[in-house]
Amino acid sequence: MASNQQNITGLLLAKREQVKALQDLGFADISESSRASLFAERIRWAAGLLDIRVAADRKRDGKKFYFTVEEWQTIDNAGRSEEFARRGVRIRADGLSFVMSLQYYADKTWGSRSSVSDLASFDGRAGAWSHQDVARFNRAILDYYADKNADGVIGAPAAEAANGYHAYLEDDGVMVNGVAIDDQTSWMLPDVAQAFVIYHNHKAIDTVIAQVWGHAFTLDKTGGAIWTCVQVNGGMAYRVSVFSGGVYYTNKTDKYMVIPISEE
């Protein structure tokens, strides 16, 4: 029979292996000092949908909050509008966490038919489904196309639309250090992995949106296909249908929908 010390050593080794496995999945916040209850949450998060919450900024100081629908509905109507400005829905699924905006842009081209020099190309799709450095990808697109005017396209309309989005303006009353501000969130085009998360969970996302914002803001208003920040080659980039999950090679000069996302 194993001694208490041997049992403790075995448990510590098992925990260490769990920590490494979770860190390998991208959960850098997990360590051997983390509460065991977090392990089950992270495993559920890695394997599918953890939760969908209302992302809101508190007006008096700009602090970020994430409410379940039930928590949001416990706040009276006057309190919601007086205390918080909503940014969108935060989705935690498949090991990813991001906020999806409630604003969709139609008929946006990705750019002219040339390769973004500082951006990886995924011709043949190898690696395209992996989560990318979305902020860097979007910045590379914006920087590259800043002075481009070709193929009937000026700049990078899809990335510019996402980057220029504000969930609220200073008139909505969000204050930081006593000064009213526009939404300071970094909004971007999603990568393919994030677009897949929207696809896999679009019904659950629409349920939350309908309960909090109303049916007019649900994903069925997007027409289905949205741009990603991932390029195939000089002439094409990836778009994803949030209803079928289809991933397509698409000419950068074609027009599709934009759903801004934020990784904050």
Side-chain angles (χ1 to χ4, degrees):
M1 179 178 293
S3 67
N4 286 343
Q5 185 59 48
Q6 288 173 322
N7 287 332
I8 291 170
T9 300
L11 289 171
L12 289 173
L13 288 173
K15 184 175 183 180
R16 190 169 299 154
E17 290 176 359
Q18 285 184 309
V19 168
K20 184 180 185 306
L22 288 168
Q23 289 176 343
D24 288 345
L25 288 171
F27 295 114
D29 61 325
I30 292 294
S31 68
E32 291 182 33
S33 62
S34 298
R35 299 191 313 274
S37 60
L38 291 177
F39 289 28
E41 175 192 90
R42 294 301 195 274
I43 291 169
R44 190 166 70 253
W45 183 353
L49 178 63
L50 177 61
D51 58 22
I52 299 169
R53 295 182 176 236
V54 179
D57 291 355
R58 189 163 62 186
K59 289 189 176 182
R60 68 175 181 265
D61 56 9
K63 183 178 178 180
K64 292 175 173 27
F65 286 81
Y66 301 97
F67 298 97
T68 65
V69 171
E70 293 74 20
E71 289 168 343
W72 182 254
Q73 291 176 338
T74 63
I75 308 170
D76 63 85
N77 289 333
R80 292 174 199 162
S81 60
E82 290 174 5
E83 289 291 322
F84 296 100
R86 292 171 297 182
R87 285 191 298 131
V89 290
R90 186 188 69 179
I91 308 158
R92 295 194 294 178
D94 299 334
L96 303 178
S97 177
F98 60 93
V99 176
M100 188 189 85
S101 80
L102 272 292
Q103 176 69 54
Y104 316 136
Y105 296 95
D107 299 329
K108 295 294 183 182
T109 56
W110 203 88
S112 55
R113 290 191 293 268
S114 56
S115 181
V116 178
S117 53
D118 292 333
L119 197 62
S121 294
F122 293 93
D123 206 347
R125 302 189 181 186
W129 277 258
S130 301
H131 182 45
Q132 311 296 336
D133 185 342
V134 176
R136 186 181 69 78
F137 274 40
N138 274 263
R139 178 48 54 193
I141 294 166
L142 292 168
D143 288 348
Y144 177 81
Y145 282 109
D147 60 352
K148 299 293 187 295
N149 183 351
D151 302 320
V153 180
I154 299 173
E160 289 167 9
N163 181 250
Y165 173 65
H166 294 285
Y168 55 81
L169 300 176
E170 63 179 50
D171 289 345
D172 292 304
V174 176
M175 310 288 288
V176 174
N177 297 324
V179 178
I181 61 166
D182 292 340
D183 173 26
Q184 300 296 299
T185 302
S186 296
W187 295 101
M188 301 169 282
L189 295 176
D191 63 14
V192 174
Q194 291 165 330
F196 271 152
V197 166
I198 296 173
Y199 155 64
H200 285 303
N201 302 287
H202 68 271
K203 291 182 179 179
I205 293 167
D206 272 354
T207 297
V208 172
I209 292 173
Q211 290 177 301
V212 177
W213 284 268
H215 289 280
F217 295 92
T218 53
L219 283 165
D220 59 10
K221 305 299 185 272
T222 65
I226 64 171
W227 280 119
T228 75
C229 63
V230 183
Q231 77 176 357
V232 179
N233 51 37
M236 294 187 288
Y238 288 102
R239 64 179 169 92
V240 175
S241 169
V242 296
F243 298 130
S244 72
V247 183
Y248 305 96
Y249 288 7
T250 299
N251 289 326
K252 292 179 177 179
T253 54
D254 289 346
K255 295 182 178 180
Y256 289 98
M257 300 290 298
V258 171
I259 298 181
I261 64 96
S262 168
E263 295 193 304
E264 295 182 22

